Amino acid sequence: MANLNIDSIKDRTFDAIVIGSGMSGGWAAKEFTGKGLKTLMLERGRDVKHIKDYPTTNMYPWEFEHRGELPMAVQEANPIVNRCYAFHEDAAHFFVKDKEHPYVQDKPFDWIRGYQVGGKSLLWARQTQRWSDFDFEGPARDGFAVDWPIRYKDIAPWYSYVEKFAGISGNKDGLAELPDGEFLPAFPLNSVEDYFSKHVKSKYSNRHVISARCAHLSKPNQIHLDQGRAQCQERILCQRGCPFGGYFSANSSTIPWALRSGNLTLRPFSVVQSIIYDENLGKATGVRIVDTNTKETIDYFARVIFVNAAALNTNLVLLNSTSHRFPNGLGNDSGVLGKYVAFHNYSAHISAEYDGFKEWTTDGRNPAGGGYIPRFRNVRKQETDFLRGYASGFSAHRRRERNWDGVGSSLKENLVSDELGPWSVGSHMMGETIPKEASYVALDARQKDDWGVPLLKISMDYDDNDAKMKKDYVDQLTEMFTSAGFTNIKASTDQRAPGLDIHEMGGARMGNDPKTSILNKWNQLHAVNNVYVTDGACMTSTSCQNPSLTYMALTARAVDHAVNEMNKRNI
């Protein structure tokens, strides 16, 4: 029996364990396996294989039972996830339903999740922007949060590294506030978007409308073909899963690449209960999971552990990993674990119409979503009564004029009109929020989930800084729209709870000082050097760019560091 036990432990021992299979977890697995390390990837949800498990990807609108809409009973049963823009009949199977995985809202928070292999990389909007030193230096300059322990020069080569593999389309725009990357050809602006871009450039010295940078293969390179991916077909059905691999996801790219190495063991249906810490060795030795189907508790072991469960779940895992040495959560000597969580603010929009360019009959859409307005407020100096700033989306399209008069055949005849109306233009705010100690997640003291893990309690809200920023966005975009000759301008601000932007960050933030942060400049726990965090939980501040590209770059950089340290026997 002793030999059987030894064999069992050996079978459960790896060089590296990666918790989570989404955007950053996929990169950790790819990098570890590519360097020859036997790697275990743990995913709490089901397996989703590229192409095979995209059941709606090639369906026509009339093939959906409810023509794309969800039955009212489903919507009413899921008031939280139903507020997400992509929760429809074609993609609902990729979302966590409200009752399946409950959490505690100390303050209203819409937690949008995708528990499956690939995580939310199947559902993201695929926008990819680098951060600049204006972002990494923000906390130190503006006096909030703590100083980032890295600067742009530390991560720039890793941005290039992941961009080449993932495939990012964009233009070389030469903007210091939004550094250029390793780009495939950009998706061009349509006629109205291009008009607005030129108008803004002529009127404002520090404002720009550029082609949105996105993780789509506009023109694949050999490395993308080697992954089995093909050129983006511009179907704009991305939330269904792309059978061409036209956009970057863990399912189409990093995970298959890691599996091909022969060094990856992928284990879905595995809820991570905690990270195992050895008091005598002074390091983590493994991970304890609960099999979601059998409820069996199983321990797995490795020399290094990467926590990539997505920001809030990563905080949950660390908080629940307690021991005599760390009674308040793994690595939590500073007491800041779970605190200073922030998010993005997408709660303001503006729309209008434009009466020109009627010679163009296309609807004007493309997979990049149109244009992007990089942050122009408080970039080089403080100029407003709020900290930091916002980026903005901008897009234009033509809609068909529909005549809804009549019944039966007369209605049908009226609806087939090919007449196009004026161009509709729109923008949405992408604002940075400030990490605060009062914004936190914690373990609920009484309630547990079906696998014995405490429920996560979330307490976050907007503040006065967010309100001032939102007003400025509305004022500035209204001015820009008016000066461009747009008409019927309508600004709207919704009362959504935080969370619908789906960009939670922080809680296990990076920093120079172990007394005020959890992670060092290499994404290692200050107090446990063989545990790394490279998903949203590691972020010291949020900036206003989509964070996914930064997660990828930080992950590749951290794996490189971890393997070097392992080779030196430092971990």
Side-chain angles (χ1 to χ4, degrees):
M1 293 298 292
N3 287 335
L4 289 175
N5 187 50
I6 291 171
D7 289 343
S8 174
I9 293 174
K10 182 179 179 181
D11 290 342
R12 290 181 282 119
T13 300
F14 298 82
D15 297 315
I17 294 176
V18 178
I19 301 172
S21 66
M23 195 74 69
S24 61
W27 267 98
K30 172 196 171 293
E31 293 301 297
F32 275 126
T33 56
K35 295 178 186 295
L37 276 70
K38 296 296 183 183
T39 304
L40 172 66
M41 172 181 275
L42 298 169
E43 165 57 51
R44 67 180 297 151
R46 65 189 176 95
D47 193 8
V48 171
K49 289 184 170 57
H50 180 49
I51 304 177
K52 173 180 176 292
D53 294 317
Y54 306 157
T56 64
T57 189
N58 288 320
M59 288 175 63
Y60 290 102
W62 57 86
E63 294 181 296
F64 289 94
E65 183 179 359
H66 307 99
R67 299 301 185 265
E69 295 298 320
L70 288 167
M72 185 60 66
V74 175
Q75 296 184 46
E76 291 176 346
N78 296 278
I80 295 171
V81 70
N82 189 54
R83 287 190 275 270
C84 180
Y85 70 95
F87 187 69
H88 297 293
E89 192 173 21
D90 63 345
H93 47 282
F94 290 142
F95 287 90
V96 167
K97 310 309 183 290
D98 289 4
K99 292 182 180 180
E100 293 175 357
H101 298 274
Y103 60 100
V104 179
Q105 299 183 62
D106 195 48
K107 295 179 180 178
F109 186 89
D110 293 336
W111 191 11
I112 309 301
R113 293 160 288 171
Y115 290 166
Q116 65 255 325
V117 169
K120 295 193 296 293
S121 76
L122 286 167
L123 296 165
W124 68 313
R126 305 164 306 284
Q127 300 295 293
T128 44
Q129 305 97 21
R130 291 189 180 197
W131 283 32
S132 73
D133 271 331
F134 296 115
D135 305 300
F136 288 111
E137 294 172 358
R141 189 192 79 174
D142 299 344
F144 69 95
V146 297
D147 188 15
W148 275 87
I150 62 172
R151 293 293 186 262
Y152 177 69
K153 63 180 175 60
D154 298 306
I155 194 173
W158 295 101
Y159 275 138
S160 293
Y161 178 78
V162 300
E163 285 166 344
K164 290 175 183 177
F165 189 85
I168 310 299
S169 65
N171 286 322
K172 300 279 188 180
D173 298 298
L175 305 177
E177 63 271 33
L178 197 74
D180 292 329
E182 309 291 337
F183 294 142
L184 304 174
F187 289 90
L189 299 175
N190 64 37
S191 56
V192 175
E193 293 162 353
D194 184 61
Y195 158 73
F196 187 58
S197 175
K198 291 175 180 175
H199 172 79
V200 169
K201 184 176 182 180
S202 68
K203 185 174 176 61
Y204 302 93
S205 62
N206 67 334
R207 305 186 188 187
H208 309 274
V209 181
I210 64 173
S211 292
R213 301 170 182 178
C214 65
H216 282 258
L217 300 181
S218 56
K219 185 178 180 182
N221 289 330
Q222 189 60 48
I223 187 61
H224 309 120
L225 301 177
D226 291 345
Q227 295 171 43
R229 299 167 62 195
Q231 183 170 329
C232 171
Q233 302 297 298
E234 302 190 36
R235 304 188 315 156
I236 318 179
L237 300 173
C238 312
Q239 72 275 6
R240 300 181 182 183
C242 179
F244 306 97
Y247 73 83
F248 173 83
S249 70
N251 306 73
S252 66
S253 180
T254 48
I255 293 177
W257 192 271
L259 286 168
R260 199 181 309 170
S261 73
N263 292 324
L264 181 65
T265 299
L266 173 60
R267 194 186 200 283
F269 303 111
S270 303
V271 170
V272 172
Q273 188 182 77
S274 61
I275 295 170
I276 303 165
Y277 179 77
D278 189 300
E279 305 269 351
N280 296 320
L281 296 174
K283 66 179 183 179
T285 56
V287 172
R288 180 162 295 144
I289 68 112
V290 179
D291 186 292
T292 62
N293 296 315
T294 67
K295 305 295 176 70
E296 179 186 9
T297 300
I298 308 170
D299 292 347
Y300 290 94
F301 307 97
R303 285 180 61 189
V304 65
I305 297 162
F306 267 54
V307 193
N308 300 95
L312 300 192
N313 271 323
T314 285
N315 276 277
L316 188 157
V317 168
L318 294 174
L319 287 165
N320 201 45
S321 300
T322 58
S323 61
H324 178 74
R325 169 68 180 85
F326 296 110
N328 299 311
L330 187 67
N332 193 21
D333 289 338
S334 62
V336 300
L337 181 62
K339 300 177 182 178
Y340 300 98
V341 183
F343 48 93
H344 279 160
N345 180 2
Y346 280 26
S347 61
H349 308 80
I350 187 166
S351 64
E353 293 180 348
Y354 187 63
D355 203 37
F357 296 104
K358 288 188 174 180
E359 67 272 24
W360 299 104
T361 58
T362 175
D363 69 1
R365 297 183 300 163
N366 69 49
Y372 179 81
I373 306 173
R375 175 181 153 206
F376 56 84
R377 284 306 215 189
N378 304 327
V379 178
R380 289 168 174 81
K381 63 180 181 178
Q382 183 66 33
E383 58 188 358
T384 70
D385 62 350
F386 57 86
L387 292 177
R388 312 306 290 152
Y390 50 84
S392 314
F394 176 78
S395 62
H397 69 279
R398 292 194 74 181
R399 63 177 183 272
R400 298 193 177 279
E401 296 286 1
R402 298 296 189 188
N403 182 354
W404 296 93
D405 294 335
V407 177
S409 59
S410 62
L411 172 60
K412 183 177 179 180
E413 289 174 5
N414 288 336
L415 287 177
V416 298
S417 169
D418 285 331
E419 184 177 350
L420 287 164
W423 285 86
S424 295
V425 300
S427 172
H428 63 281
M429 168 188 175
M430 296 178 277
E432 177 172 359
T433 67
I434 304 302
K436 303 177 291 289
E437 187 173 11
S439 296
Y440 70 89
V441 296
L443 304 182
D444 189 85
R446 297 179 301 277
Q447 301 179 75
K448 295 187 176 182
D449 64 20
D450 291 344
W451 304 280
V453 178
L455 297 188
L456 193 68
K457 180 168 63 175
I458 303 175
S459 183
M460 282 181 263
D461 206 350
Y462 299 109
D463 61 18
D464 186 55
N465 197 72
D466 300 319
K468 291 177 179 178
M469 187 185 296
K470 186 154 59 172
K471 181 180 183 304
D472 189 76
Y473 163 82
V474 169
D475 291 346
Q476 297 305 311
L477 268 293
T478 297
E479 175 194 306
M480 293 163 68
F481 275 26
T482 301
S483 70
F486 297 160
T487 59
N488 196 23
I489 300 171
K490 297 178 181 178
S492 63
T493 57
D494 58 49
Q495 302 303 311
R496 69 175 69 185
L500 277 185
D501 52 80
I502 323 180
H503 290 171
E504 304 92 27
M505 288 175 257
R509 67 185 181 186
M510 299 171 70
N512 291 304
D513 189 350
K515 294 180 181 178
T516 58
S517 60
I518 300 297
L519 308 171
N520 67 13
K521 66 179 181 179
W522 300 109
N523 295 81
Q524 290 171 291
L525 267 65
H526 287 297
V528 189
N529 72 354
N530 68 329
V531 177
Y532 291 70
V533 176
T534 63
D535 62 10
C538 79
M539 304 294 273
T540 306
S541 61
T542 72
S543 186
C544 58
Q545 290 93 308
N546 183 298
S548 300
L549 183 67
T550 300
Y551 301 164
M552 297 186 219
L554 286 173
T555 302
R557 176 177 179 267
V559 171
D560 184 71
H561 178 266
V563 173
N564 287 336
E565 292 296 287
M566 293 170 78
N567 290 337
K568 296 174 186 175
R569 311 301 295 181
N570 289 336
I571 58 176

